[in-house]
Amino acid sequence: MSDFRTAVLFAAVLTTGLSAGLFYVWSYSVMPGLARAGDRTFVESFQHMNRAMMNGWFALSFGGAFVLLLLAGGLLLGADGDQRSKALPWLIAALVLYVAMLVITFAVNVPMNNELDAAGAVDQIKDLAGLRERVEDRWVRWNNVRSVVTVASFGCVSWALLQYGRATGKG
């Protein structure tokens, strides 16, 4: 069972890290790059990137991290006292931070993504500047928060794996 717990924790680290990297890249390269673009390019590019992102690979890391964090927590509940006491608090912190990212995503960023998508083809949008103004600053601000909490989640689950390995004598 120890090897299975280790594998699940490792998979949770990997998928959480992929999610953290995704939000980090949007915060520190994609959105600053789009900020330099004109309104038409901003809206059209954003629409295309959001549509392209909705795929199985994204779902695997984004949803998989949550499922694997939960599974790892459940598995750690069955671990011996030292393994559980060293790793579980860090895993719980990782899960709480990841849930915070999910709440932000579904409460703030997804509705703005949907607003941009619902605006239709760029040629048909009468007020590109107004649409961009309603979305850009808020989307960027909350994505930066998502980046910070997801990177923190990644750090916590990584530390949980390290602590579990130390407690099992494999770290």
Side-chain angles (χ1 to χ4, degrees):
M1 184 56 115
S2 175
D3 287 342
F4 183 64
R5 281 189 198 104
T6 302
V8 170
L9 272 166
F10 178 77
V13 167
L14 182 62
T15 53
T16 304
L18 289 170
S19 291
L22 172 74
F23 296 127
Y24 177 86
V25 165
W26 274 80
S27 287
Y28 302 107
S29 64
V30 174
M31 295 311 293
L34 284 178
R36 295 179 179 107
D39 297 335
R40 178 186 175 89
T41 301
F42 175 88
V43 172
E44 187 172 39
S45 297
F46 209 96
Q47 286 176 335
H48 288 303
M49 285 185 283
N50 279 325
R51 290 178 196 141
M53 190 178 298
M54 296 298 112
N55 62 61
W57 292 110
F58 172 73
L60 183 65
S61 61
F62 185 76
F66 176 70
V67 170
L68 288 163
L69 288 167
L70 281 175
L71 179 58
L75 291 170
L76 281 174
L77 288 173
D80 78 29
D82 193 38
Q83 294 167 357
R84 184 176 52 247
S85 67
K86 289 183 184 276
L88 191 58
W90 291 102
L91 188 65
I92 290 169
L95 182 59
V96 167
L97 289 162
Y98 202 83
V99 167
M101 178 278 296
L102 290 171
V103 168
I104 292 165
T105 297
F106 291 113
V108 180
N109 294 90
V110 167
M112 286 186 282
N113 294 351
N114 293 342
E115 180 180 353
L116 282 165
D117 196 50
V122 178
D123 294 337
Q124 306 301 315
I125 300 171
K126 294 191 186 335
D127 185 13
L128 283 169
L131 176 60
R132 180 180 186 168
E133 188 175 321
R134 284 192 307 277
V135 172
E136 185 176 19
D137 288 343
R138 185 170 186 238
W139 197 97
V140 167
R141 182 173 43 258
W142 283 103
N143 188 69
N144 290 341
V145 174
R146 288 193 303 183
S147 294
V148 170
V149 298
T150 310
V151 167
S153 177
F154 173 62
C156 288
V157 70
S158 297
W159 194 252
L161 176 60
L162 180 66
Q163 294 306 311
Y164 181 75
R166 287 178 175 166
T168 61
K170 296 180 181 179

